[in-house]
Amino acid sequence: MPFHHKGIGSGYILNFGDTRVYFSGDTECTTEMKALKNISVAFLAMNPPRTESTLEAAECAKAFKPKIVYPYHYRGSNTQEFADALKNTTGVEVRLRKLEGES
């Protein structure tokens, strides 16, 4: 049973000219997310059990291939595992940043 039924934990796409920025919201790797097109920058939440795991997020990013992807909302998750899973995915650049308050 998914934590987020359709319409709950929705993601959003913001358009700035030709730049399309996607924020996943609290969600799993949905069919709708996999079908995204022409995403310049994606912010993918990964913090199980309420959002996708690092590996699930990587599989989803492989499907819609954003040019740049940032993991966020990842408390306790191994973001390097996410980056490693996308290492050989052509055209997807992973950018890791520390969350505020993270040591």
Side-chain angles (χ1 to χ4, degrees), residues 59-81:
E59 285 305 309
C60 216
K62 286 178 186 177
F64 74 90
K65 293 185 173 71
K67 291 177 183 166
I68 299 167
V69 62
Y70 289 93
Y72 82 104
H73 188 41
Y74 59 77
R75 178 179 289 152
S77 295
N78 182 349
T79 56
Q80 189 59 54
E81 180 178 69

Side-chain angles (χ1 to χ4, degrees), residues 46-62:
M46 49 191 78
N47 187 12
R50 302 275 181 203
T51 61
E52 56 196 348
S53 70
T54 54
L55 295 179
E56 184 183 13
E59 285 305 309
C60 216
K62 286 178 186 177

Side-chain angles (χ1 to χ4, degrees), residues 6 31 34 42 44 55-56 71 74 76-77 89 93 97 100:
K6 194 170 187 108
T31 302
K34 288 180 182 177
L44 298 182
L55 295 179
E56 184 183 13
Y74 59 77
S77 295
T89 304
E93 177 186 342
R97 302 293 187 264
E100 184 176 333

